[in-house]
C-alpha cells in the first residue's frame, strides 16, 4: 500500500482499478516547420522545459514519496540536459531533420547503446530514455495522450489530461480521475466536477508507481490516493462512498426549491454547461438556468470548425433545456490551455497571456460573427417557450474590446433582422484590469460575470495548470474578496447585476462569501448546486455579510477559509 497526496479537485470517493493513459505516438517524419535555426530553438526550448518539469517532479516526489523515487526523475532530467544527446539532435537538424525527428533519432540511438550494455542498471535506463523522449516530443507538438478506454469503471490516471481527452472517455467507465499535473481550476478538473466523479490532481509521480491492475482508493475531498489499499483503507473509503450516497438523497429533497438564503434573499443558482452531459445533469439537480455555456467544447474534439447550423442547434438545445430561465452563452474562449486542434498557429511564448478569448474572436471577425449569428438563430429556433438568451464575452482587458464586440453583435443582429431588446449582454471579469475597470464595463452592458479561475491565475501570476504554484491562488484570500466586493459595488452602481461562474461558486465556504459581497447569481457545475443550495438556505444574508467581513480582516486565505467554513448561523 502507498499513500500519495495531491490536490482535491472534485469531491467524492471511489475504489476501482487504475487505467493508465499512455503518451501518444508522435509523428516524427514531419518536414521541418522552419529553417534549422528555428528548429534548433524549438529543440532547445522543448528540452529545457522537459528538464524543468522533471526537476519539479523530482522535488515533489522526494517530498511526497521518498528520496529513492525522486531520484528517478532527477535521472530523467539529466537525460533531457545531456549535452551529447542534445548535440546529436542539433547535428541532425543541421542535416535537415525536423526537431521532432531529431529528438527521436538522437534518443533512439542512445537507447540502442544502453540496451546493448551488459550492465543490468544501464539497460534498465533505456526505458527511462523513452520517457524523456516522449516528454520532449509531447512538448514539441503540444499536449497529447492516447485514450485507451477501459472496459470497466476505473480510476483514469494520466500525467496530464486535456479537456478533449477527458471528454472522449465515456462517463460510465470513469470511477475517478487522477493526474500528475494540473490544479483544481484546470479544465480537466472542471470536467471531472461536471461529470460528478471524484478527482485528485497534482499527484506527483503516480504514473511511475502504478502496476497493471493496481487498485486505487481515491479521496476527492482530502486530495489523497492510495495505491493497493489494505483492509482498513478499503473500509474507510467504502464508508465514504456510502456516506456520499446518503447525503445525495437528503439534498434531492431541495431540488425544486429556489436558491435563497434562510431569510429569503434570492440568489440564482445556475449551471455551467459544456455539453450534452451537463444539460442532462442540470435537469436533475434543480439548476435555475445557465450562467455559463462554454461553447468551445463544441469545437475541441473535432477536425474542423462547426458550421452556423451546428452551433445554432447547440444554442437552441441549451435554451430549450431551461424554459423560464436565463441562459448565458459565452462566445468562443479558446487559446492557452484550450487549443483548437484544427487551427494551425505559431506557438506563443506565453499562451495564457496571448491571443485567447475575445482577443482571438476580434482577430478573426468572420468566425466571431458566424458565432453571434448562430446564437441569434438558435434563439429564434428555440422560440418563446425556451429560456432567455444572454450573450457573454470572455477575457476582456480593456473596455474598447466590449465596444468592438457589441458593434459586431449589432451589425449581425441587423443582418439577421433579429431583435436584441430582450438579449442581455455581459462581460466576464477575468483579468485584474477588467476587475479594476468594472464600473466602466458595467456602464456598457447588462451584467458582469466573474471568472474566478482566470482572475486568480492573473491576479496571483500563478498558472492554473501548474500544480506547483496552484496553491498560491485561493479565492478565499482576503485580497480576492476585497476585489470582488469592489467589482460588485461598481457594477451595482451602474445598474448591472453580477454573477460568478468560476469554480469558486461551487465551494460552499466561498458561496457564503460571494453572497456576503452582494453577488446576485452563482453559476457552477450542476453537480454542486444541491450542496450550495443547502448551505445558503441554512444562513441569513447578514450571516454571510458578517462572515465575509471577518474573512476580509484575516491575514491569509487559510484563516479566511476557516472563518467562512463556519459562518455564524443565526
Ligand atoms: C473562469 O475563468 O473562471 C471561467 C469560468 O472560464 P474558464 O474556466 O472556461 O476559463
Ligand atoms: Mg476563463
Amino acid at each position: 500500500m502507498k499513500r500519495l497526496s495531491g490536490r482535491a479537485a472534485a469531491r467524492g470517493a471511489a475504489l476501482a482499478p487504475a487505467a493508465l493513459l499512455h503518451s501518444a505516438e508522435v509523428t516524427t517524419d514531419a518536414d521541418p516547420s522552419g529553417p534549422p535555426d528555428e528548429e534548433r530553438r524549438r529543440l532547445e526550448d522543448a528540452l529545457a522545459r522537459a528538464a524543468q518539469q522533471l526537476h519539479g517532479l523530482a522535488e515533489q516526489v522526494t517530498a511526497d514519496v521518498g528520496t529513492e523515487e525522486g531520484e528517478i526523475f532527477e535521472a530523467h532530467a539529466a537525460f533531457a540536459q545531456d549535452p551529447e544527446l542534445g548535440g546529436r539532435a542539433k547535428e541532425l537538424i543541421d542535416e535537415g531533420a525536423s526537431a521532432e525527428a531529431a529528438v527521436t533519432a538522437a534518443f533512439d540511438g542512445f537507447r540502442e547503446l544502453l540496451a546493448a550494455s551488459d550492465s543490468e542498471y544501464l539497460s534498465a535506463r533505456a526505458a527511462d530514455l523513452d520517457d524523456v523522449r516522449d516528454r520532449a516530443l509531447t512538448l514539441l507538438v503540444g499536449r497529447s495522450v492516447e485514450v485507451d478506454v477501459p472496459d470497466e469503471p476505473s480510476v483514469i490516471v494520466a500525467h496530464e489530461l486535456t479537456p478533449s481527452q477527458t471528454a472522449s472517455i465515456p462517463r460510465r467507465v470513469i470511477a475517478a480521475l487522477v493526474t500528475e499535473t494540473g490544479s483544481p481550476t484546470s479544465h480537466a478538473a472542471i470536467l471531472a466536477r461536471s461529470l460528478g466523479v471524484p478527482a485528485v490532481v497534482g499527484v506527483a509521480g503516480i504514473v511511475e508507481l502504478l502496476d497493471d491492475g493496481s487498485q486505487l482508493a481515491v479521496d476527492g475531498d482530502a486530495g489523497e490516493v492510495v495505491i493497493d489499499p489494505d483492509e482498513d483503507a478499503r473500509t474507510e473509503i467504502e464508508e465514504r462512498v456510502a456516506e456520499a450516497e446518503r447525503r445525495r438523497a437528503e439534498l434531492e429533497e431541495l431540488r425544486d426549491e429556489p436558491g435563497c438564503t434562510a431569510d429569503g434573499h434570492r440568489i440564482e443558482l445556475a449551471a455551467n454547461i459544456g455539453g450534452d452531459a451537463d444539460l442532462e445533469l442540470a435537469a436533475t439537480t434543480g439548476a435555475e438556468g445557465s450562467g455559463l455555456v462554454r461553447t468551445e467544447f463544441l469545437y475541441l474534439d473535432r477536425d474542423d470548425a462547426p458550421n452556423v447550423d451546428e452551433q445554432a442547434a447547440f444554442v437552441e438545445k441549451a435554451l430549450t433545456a431551461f424554459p423560464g430561465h436565463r441562459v448565458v452563452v459565452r462566445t468562443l474562449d479558446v487559446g492557452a490551455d484550450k487549443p483548437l486542434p484544427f487551427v494551425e498557429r505559431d506557438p506563443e511564448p506565453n499562451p495564457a497571456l496571448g491571443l485567447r478569448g475575445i482577443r482571438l474572436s476580434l482577430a478573426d471577425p468572420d468566425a466571431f460573427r458566424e458565432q453571434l449569428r448562430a446564437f441569434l438563430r438558435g434563439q429564434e429556433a428555440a422560440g418563446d417557450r425556451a429560456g432567455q438568451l444572454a450573450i457573454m464575452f470572455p477575457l476582456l482587458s480593456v473596455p474598447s474590446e466590449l465596444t468592438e464586440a457589441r458593434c459586431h453583435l449589432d451589425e449581425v443582429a441587423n443582418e439577421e433582422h433579429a431583435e436584441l431588446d430582450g438579449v442581455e449582454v455581459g462581460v466576464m471579469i477575468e483579468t485584474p484590469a477588467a476587475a479594476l475597470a468594472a464600473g466602466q464595463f458595467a456602464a456598457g452592458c447588462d451584467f458582469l460575470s466573474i471568472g474566478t479561475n482566470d482572475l486568480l491565475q492573473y491576479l496571483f501570476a500563478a498558472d492554473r495548470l501548474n500544480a506547483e504554484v496552484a496553491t498560491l491562488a485561493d479565492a478565499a484570500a482576503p485580497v480576492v474578496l476585497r476585489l470582488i466586493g469592489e467589482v460588485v459595488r461598481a457594477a451595482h452602481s451602474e445598474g448591472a447585476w453580477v454573477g460568478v461562474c468560476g469554480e469558486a461558486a461551487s465551494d460552499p465556504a466561498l458561496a457564503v462569501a460571494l453572497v456576503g459581497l452582494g453577488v446576485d447569481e452563482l453559476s457552477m457545475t450542476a453537480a454542486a448546486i444541491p450542496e450550495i443550495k443547502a448551505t445558503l438556505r441554512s444562513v441569513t444574508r447578514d450571516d454571510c455579510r458578517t462572515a465575509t467581513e471577518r474573512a476580509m480582516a484575516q491575514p491569509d486565505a487559510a484563516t479566511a477559509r476557516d472563518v467562512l467554513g463556519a459562518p455564524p448561523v443565526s
Side-chain angles (χ1 to χ4, degrees), residues 450 478-492 498 513-514 516-519 548 552:
I450 305 174
V479 285
V480 177
L481 301 180
R482 284 203 288 275
L483 186 63
I484 293 178
E486 287 306 319
V487 170
V488 173
R489 248 190 303 281
H492 284 175
V498 181
L514 296 170
L517 292 168
V519 166
T548 309
M552 285 195 290

Side-chain angles (χ1 to χ4, degrees), residues 374-553:
F375 289 5
L376 298 175
R377 289 189 188 172
Q379 186 188 34
E380 173 75 21
D384 293 341
R385 289 179 51 239
Q388 183 57 45
L389 172 72
I391 296 177
M392 178 159 81
F393 305 120
L395 207 91
L396 282 77
S397 24
V398 291
S400 61
E401 290 169 321
L402 171 60
T403 315
E404 209 182 322
R406 285 203 81 137
C407 220
H408 285 297
L409 178 60
D410 287 340
E411 286 173 14
V412 170
N414 242 331
E415 289 163 14
E416 291 292 308
H417 307 291
E419 279 296 331
L420 282 182
D421 282 353
V423 179
E424 288 182 309
V425 173
V427 159
M428 285 196 75
I429 300 295
E430 298 182 280
T431 62
L436 294 167
Q440 247 181 303
F441 280 104
C445 63
D446 302 295
F447 67 94
L448 305 183
S449 185
I450 305 174
T452 48
N453 309 337
D454 275 314
L455 184 57
L456 290 173
Q457 122 161 306
Y458 297 123
L459 203 54
F460 290 94
D463 183 346
R464 66 194 266 189
L465 294 181
N466 185 339
E468 287 179 84
V469 296
T471 46
L472 291 171
D474 190 329
V479 285
V480 177
L481 301 180
R482 284 203 288 275
L483 186 63
I484 293 178
E486 287 306 319
V487 170
V488 173
R489 248 190 303 281
H492 284 175
S493 72
E494 293 292 343
W497 60 268
V498 181
V500 170
C501 63
E503 292 306 299
S506 61
D507 177 324
L510 288 169
V512 165
L514 296 170
V515 171
L517 292 168
V519 166
D520 306 289
E521 176 238 41
L522 298 175
S523 191
M524 66 202 82
T525 167
I529 291 176
E531 193 71 57
I532 297 295
K533 192 182 279 181
T535 303
L536 294 182
R537 291 177 75 93
S538 72
V539 290
T540 66
R541 193 179 186 192
D542 276 346
D543 293 333
C544 298
R545 285 192 179 125
T546 311
T548 309
E549 288 295 326
R550 285 184 53 213
M552 285 195 290

Side-chain angles (χ1 to χ4, degrees), residues 49-60:
R49 283 171 63 203
Q52 190 190 8
Q53 287 182 355
L54 287 161
H55 282 307
L57 211 52
E59 260 175 47
Q60 275 187 64

Side-chain angles (χ1 to χ4, degrees), residues 206-236:
I206 186 164
V207 169
E208 294 273 333
L209 298 171
L210 285 180
D211 292 322
D212 267 350
S214 294
Q215 279 286 318
L216 289 183
V218 180
D219 183 338
D221 295 82
E224 250 189 20
V225 182
V226 182
I227 303 177
D228 295 324
D230 62 14
E231 199 54 38
D232 285 353
R234 289 179 81 94
T235 312
E236 193 186 319

